[in-house]
Amino acid sequence: MPQAEPIPLPLSAWAGHPVFLSTDWLPKALLTGDLIIAGASVLIAYWYHHRFDPIHTLTLGELPLGPYLAAIPVVLVIYAAALAMNHQYQSWRGRTLAELLLQLYSGIGLAAILILALISLANLGSQYSRLTITYAIVLSAVLMTVERYVLRQYETRLRRKGVGTERVLMVGTGAGSEMLIQRLNMFPQYGFQVVGVADDEHATGTTFAGAHVVGTIDELHQLAQDLRIDQVFLAMPAASRPQLLRLIKLCEDQNLQFKIVPDLLDVMSTRVDVNIIDGVPLVGIRHNRLRGLNASIKHLIDIVVAGSALLILSPLLIVLAALIKITSPNGPILFRQERIGMHRRPFTVYKFRTMIPDAEKNTGPVVAQPGDPRATLIGRFLRRTSLDELPQLLNILRGDMSLVGPRPQPTFFDERYSSDVPRYLERQQVRPGLTGWAEVNDLRGAAPIVDRTIYDVYYVENWSLILDLKILLLTGIRIFFQRHAY
């Protein structure tokens, strides 16, 4: 059997884990940190309340510290149980920080309910101040958020070095395989390192999506041993189902962990919705969830949030407008462009101008590229931080857009995409968004429209207020860490 080509990735004797950390260090560190924070929050809240709220002390009298000290062990047990129920002490592999924080806040909310219920049932209201408890809960939420952010950054730094990652062999080079490799390389914090690709159509020693082709599919077993693979990702096209079944049996026989990457076209054409009634499966077709009452609630939230944001951010908007005019006096402050919205209705989108006047006069409509010479000095900053999008709050108030949804495309590109990209038109069943599911997954700028459409269609068919909240939270995080804003 031919030897696999060497690849420039570390192969250490300790399988990617530092000698000073056990393989399950993160859950232990989280649990320890959470217990310390929960206990400290009770004491700090007691001290703050009784030091800075003398009116309360004069009215109700001084509450002794003893009951609060006695309550700390109970608080720790409640916090540990509530957070464990919300999956806080499981592996972070493949999970976003926003997902972790949403589960954290759900766990803290559950802990708060249990603590207040226990005080009420045990008739301990005279010994404990509810305001002190509120302070403790809010403080614990803030400190645990900071704790997870710091640990996430540390974990990401380790995983960029290959520490604590699972070594993955990608089998097959379909569209789904290419997209997954790019995502795993883009987000090392997910904890997977693609050490090679096995494929029959690409010669050994070449590269595919930035990963080295290390052998053929028939060499899977030997490659898994030579490269010390932790998992095999099977990304075979739909036409290779018999071969896929053979590889699954091989992985099972050799005790290799594996996952199946669905073919990209299969993903885009899958609209199956399965319900079960008393054990009987009913198969239907998923539809747009943003209709009727759901659409009305979402639109109402859009109007309230956009109007409030415009009032709060008005000083910032004035400063940015002045900077644009001072640094580029020959052009307008706002950039206007026709785009296609819900139900294919055209509308004018507003953005702060970030490029020289008449930037598309010689090139025509083109997507901005890294280091685009047409961008102004202040424009580069605005695009990098996404502040150029803020005038679209006006579009939201006018009903053209929503806070969250598929990003609207210019008319020129929309006409091309609508005929070339499968399921592209389904994006236009809802209002386009200021941000969206594709954007928070770093699919923006010059990212392929096919990839973005997959995420947009998923959003349309799986919408919920929780998903919107998750996207907005991720948007705030992505402002500082996005790679494709230019």
Side-chain angles (χ1 to χ4, degrees):
M1 178 180 296
Q3 293 296 318
E5 293 289 328
I7 58 178
L9 291 168
L11 292 172
S12 58
W14 37 273
H17 296 288
V19 294
F20 54 87
L21 289 177
S22 62
T23 56
D24 58 348
W25 70 273
L26 183 58
K28 292 179 180 177
L30 272 177
L31 179 59
T32 302
D34 288 348
L35 294 180
I36 293 174
I37 289 173
S41 296
V42 173
L43 298 178
I44 295 173
Y46 174 88
W47 170 80
Y48 177 83
H49 188 193
H50 290 273
R51 180 180 179 87
F52 295 99
D53 193 1
I55 295 178
H56 179 275
T57 301
L58 291 174
T59 303
L60 300 179
E62 182 73 32
L63 292 177
L65 177 61
Y68 288 90
L69 292 175
I72 288 178
V74 179
V75 170
L76 299 187
V77 171
I78 291 176
Y79 261 84
L83 294 178
M85 290 174 62
N86 281 272
H87 313 292
Q88 286 298 292
Y89 306 122
Q90 298 178 0
S91 171
W92 284 3
R93 197 177 307 279
R95 299 163 69 188
T96 65
L97 180 60
E99 178 184 355
L100 294 170
L101 293 181
L102 288 175
Q103 291 175 338
L104 168 67
Y105 302 145
S106 296
I108 293 176
L110 175 60
I113 293 172
L114 293 176
I115 291 172
L116 293 173
L118 181 60
I119 291 175
S120 179
L121 291 174
N123 197 24
L124 299 174
S126 61
Q127 300 183 46
Y128 299 101
S129 165
R130 285 178 171 78
L131 189 56
T132 301
I133 295 170
T134 301
Y135 288 155
I137 291 169
V138 172
L139 180 60
S140 68
V142 173
L143 293 179
M144 288 180 186
T145 298
V146 174
E147 173 198 18
R148 277 153 178 76
Y149 175 78
V150 172
L151 287 175
R152 182 69 164 198
Q153 293 301 106
Y154 177 66
E155 182 193 45
T156 300
R157 187 171 65 177
L158 291 179
R159 286 179 170 174
R160 287 188 188 279
K161 299 177 181 178
V163 176
T165 59
E166 288 197 2
R167 301 173 62 80
V168 171
L169 176 66
M170 188 72 67
V171 178
T173 55
S177 173
E178 180 178 10
M179 184 177 179
L180 183 58
I181 292 174
Q182 292 171 346
R183 308 301 293 162
L184 296 182
N185 289 336
M186 189 182 302
F187 299 110
Q189 59 266 38
Y190 288 163
F192 297 101
Q193 183 184 30
V194 180
V195 299
V197 177
D199 187 64
D200 295 335
E201 298 180 1
H202 292 72
T204 301
T206 60
T207 60
F208 172 77
H212 288 258
V213 179
V214 294
T216 64
I217 295 177
D218 290 335
E219 298 171 337
L220 169 60
H221 177 59
Q222 188 63 43
L223 291 172
Q225 291 183 335
D226 294 344
L227 299 176
R228 293 202 292 277
I229 297 301
D230 296 310
Q231 287 208 48
V232 176
F233 287 177
L234 302 174
M236 308 299 296
S240 304
R241 294 293 169 83
Q243 188 178 31
L244 176 61
L245 294 175
R246 181 175 61 83
L247 292 174
I248 291 174
K249 185 177 186 306
L250 173 64
C251 291
E252 290 176 338
D253 292 343
Q254 302 299 327
N255 199 27
L256 291 172
Q257 292 192 33
F258 69 92
K259 289 183 173 62
I260 299 175
V261 182
D263 183 74
L264 189 64
L265 292 178
D266 287 346
V267 172
M268 295 189 67
S269 60
T270 298
R271 302 184 59 192
V272 176
D273 183 25
V274 180
N275 294 299
I276 297 179
I277 299 179
D278 197 23
V280 179
L282 301 177
V283 180
I285 300 297
R286 283 203 304 266
H287 295 286
N288 171 22
R289 296 192 62 183
L290 266 173
R291 296 180 295 178
L293 181 61
N294 286 344
S296 298
I297 293 174
K298 179 177 170 65
H299 187 50
L300 178 61
I301 294 174
D302 288 336
I303 297 299
V304 172
V305 174
S308 302
L310 278 173
L311 289 176
I312 295 171
L313 298 175
S314 55
L316 174 62
L317 297 175
I318 294 173
V319 171
L320 293 178
L323 288 174
I324 293 171
K325 198 61 180 176
I326 291 171
T327 57
S328 181
N330 294 329
I333 294 174
L334 292 180
F335 169 77
R336 296 173 174 84
Q337 186 181 60
E338 184 181 87
R339 299 201 178 185
I340 304 300
M342 184 170 64
H343 305 319
R344 298 195 58 75
R345 288 196 297 264
F347 70 98
T348 301
V349 71
Y350 301 107
K351 299 175 65 174
F352 280 128
R353 182 172 59 86
T354 59
M355 294 190 174
I356 60 175
D358 298 322
E360 295 183 339
K361 181 177 181 180
N362 297 323
T363 62
V366 292
V367 178
Q369 300 293 329
D372 199 312
R374 301 173 299 164
T376 63
L377 181 62
I378 186 65
R380 293 190 183 95
F381 169 76
L382 294 177
R383 297 177 74 90
R384 181 68 183 84
T385 57
S386 296
L387 292 175
D388 61 317
E389 310 282 359
L390 289 180
Q392 290 169 40
L393 293 171
L394 294 172
N395 287 114
I396 296 175
L397 286 179
R398 293 177 55 179
D400 297 326
M401 294 179 60
S402 173
L403 289 170
V404 180
R407 287 293 293 163
Q409 296 297 320
T411 304
F412 173 82
F413 293 116
D414 181 87
E415 293 173 352
R416 182 198 307 171
Y417 298 153
S418 60
S419 58
D420 295 344
V421 179
R423 303 192 68 181
Y424 173 82
L425 294 179
E426 294 181 35
R427 305 166 69 255
Q428 295 166 348
Q429 295 178 1
V430 300
R431 286 185 176 88
L434 183 64
T435 183
W437 185 230
E439 281 64 39
V440 298
N441 282 279
D442 225 23
L443 293 173
R444 55 176 300 176
I449 188 62
V450 173
D451 297 347
R452 297 165 71 173
T453 299
I454 293 174
Y455 283 79
D456 289 336
V457 171
Y458 173 88
Y459 172 80
V460 171
E461 295 181 346
N462 295 274
W463 173 86
S464 69
L465 288 175
I466 294 297
L467 180 57
D468 273 1
L469 179 61
K470 178 178 179 179
I471 291 172
L472 291 173
L473 181 59
L474 271 171
T475 299
I477 297 173
R478 287 284 183 267
I479 288 176
F480 301 99
F481 301 106
Q482 62 193 346
R483 301 184 179 189
H484 295 137
Y486 34 75

